[in-house]
Amino acid sequence: MNTILVVDDEPLSIKYFSLFLKDAFNVYCANNYDEALKILEDIQTIDCIISDFLLKDSPNGIQLLRECKERYPEIKRVMITGLYDEFIMDAEKKGIIEAMYEKPIEFEELIPSLKALIN
């Protein structure tokens, strides 16, 4: 089973991701940039990281995915956001983001899409 790290500062979002993805993936969750990097260092089998764009009290999701690309280029990088702007478009063009999903998330569509991205 593939392993996903979900990064979001909203506890309810984390809860929904965990609930809906747990049957299809091993799911780890982080509330911020530093916590996500710690999990990436500790868990050597992460296949995909899904990060919200806005993260309270930490660098944004693009910075996290950029760091992930530099350190762990084999990990697939996905952005979730309610704000699609020029920063996200630029990150997509540079290959920092490999897939992007707008909130609210349709989990029935997300699961097969993530499986296709990972495999």
Side-chain angles (χ1 to χ4, degrees):
M1 188 177 293
N2 293 112
T3 302
I4 290 181
L5 170 59
V6 177
V7 187
D8 198 318
D9 60 350
E10 295 294 330
L12 195 55
S13 289
I14 290 286
K15 182 178 180 176
Y16 283 133
F17 270 98
S18 297
L19 180 67
F20 286 105
L21 298 179
K22 71 178 180 171
D23 292 334
F25 304 100
N26 294 320
V27 181
Y28 289 88
C29 299
N31 295 310
N32 60 48
Y33 181 93
D34 293 329
E35 197 176 307
L37 289 181
K38 176 78 170 121
I39 291 170
L40 288 168
E41 289 173 14
D42 292 347
I43 309 298
Q44 300 298 311
T45 58
I46 302 289
D47 297 298
C48 180
I49 181 171
I50 301 171
S51 180
D52 192 10
F53 174 60
L54 296 176
L55 300 171
K56 293 178 195 155
D57 302 323
S58 75
N60 69 41
I62 292 173
Q63 291 170 302
L64 173 61
L65 296 181
R66 181 181 296 119
E67 184 73 22
C68 181
K69 180 182 180 181
E70 291 173 10
R71 290 189 191 186
Y72 313 99
E74 70 283 359
I75 295 175
K76 301 299 182 187
R77 297 167 308 279
V78 176
M79 174 71 55
I80 54 171
T81 186
L83 309 167
Y84 190 73
D85 64 15
E86 68 273 1
F87 296 113
I88 294 171
M89 288 187 287
D90 186 54
E92 284 180 307
K93 288 177 189 172
K94 292 178 179 176
I96 295 166
I97 298 170
E98 295 176 276
M100 202 279 303
Y101 300 94
E102 291 187 54
K103 290 182 176 180
I105 302 294
E106 295 291 333
F107 287 99
E108 296 80 16
E109 296 172 13
L110 180 65
I111 291 171
S113 180
L114 288 174
K115 285 183 177 182
L117 177 68
I118 292 169
N119 297 317

